[in-house]
Amino acid sequence: MSLLKKSKFLLSFLVIVFIVGVTTYRILYKPHISIEEQSAIFTGTSDDLLAKISKNAIKWEGAVVKISGKVTSKDKSGLMLNAAIYCQLIRPDLLFHIPENQSIQVKGRVIGYDDLLEELKLDKATIIK
């Protein structure tokens, strides 16, 4: 092979590797979309959501929901709605301003449903009102 053919081959190879590398980087490191920016698949009461999720829990995993309910208990990182939905908050410092037995609306992502305890878990939750 002549020097000219080798340099053309090397240059073509480097261009292809660069394009593949940039494309792979863009696919793997997409910008994160926050829960607040996503639209909710379900909006309603916590009891209605539990009735739907108990039928097919796998379908709901990762879904963004907006639910309303009464605060039954709190801990340092989240709260419990209607004694059946645990919401892990993005900003747990807001828990001090929410008394128990107050009705609130929460938006969060479904991470799982426990059939045995009949408890739903949300993460990245935010208090709407």
Side-chain angles (χ1 to χ4, degrees):
M1 238 193 240
S2 70
L3 186 60
L4 185 61
K5 285 185 179 182
K6 286 182 182 179
S7 62
K8 284 183 181 179
F9 177 75
L10 182 62
L11 183 62
S12 299
F13 179 74
L14 290 175
V15 168
I16 290 171
V17 167
F18 178 74
I19 291 172
V20 168
V22 168
T23 304
T24 303
Y25 178 80
R26 287 188 177 178
I27 290 172
L28 291 177
Y29 297 105
K30 290 181 190 176
H32 176 70
I33 300 173
S34 68
I35 299 298
E36 292 96 9
E37 295 171 0
Q38 293 181 7
S39 60
I41 292 175
F42 175 84
T43 302
T45 65
S46 58
D47 295 331
D48 293 340
L49 180 63
L50 283 172
K52 288 184 180 226
I53 286 183
S54 63
K55 294 176 185 171
N56 188 3
I58 295 173
K59 171 186 158 189
W60 287 89
E61 287 193 24
V64 177
V65 295
K66 189 187 298 185
I67 56 172
S68 58
K70 190 174 284 193
V71 178
T72 53
S73 65
K74 302 186 296 185
D75 63 12
K76 65 180 181 179
S77 63
L79 53 88
M80 185 73 82
L81 289 179
N82 293 354
I85 300 177
Y86 180 76
C87 304
Q88 184 178 5
L89 299 175
I90 293 175
R91 294 193 50 208
D93 56 320
L94 298 177
L95 285 171
F96 299 113
H97 305 292
I98 300 171
E100 290 187 13
N101 295 323
Q102 178 181 353
S103 294
I104 62 169
Q105 189 174 30
V106 177
K107 183 177 182 181
R109 181 180 65 171
V110 176
I111 59 171
Y113 178 71
D114 188 351
D115 292 333
L116 184 62
L117 299 174
E118 294 181 352
E119 183 177 286
L120 178 66
K121 294 182 181 171
L122 303 178
D123 74 339
K124 298 184 181 181
T126 56
I127 298 171
I128 297 173
K129 58 177 175 171

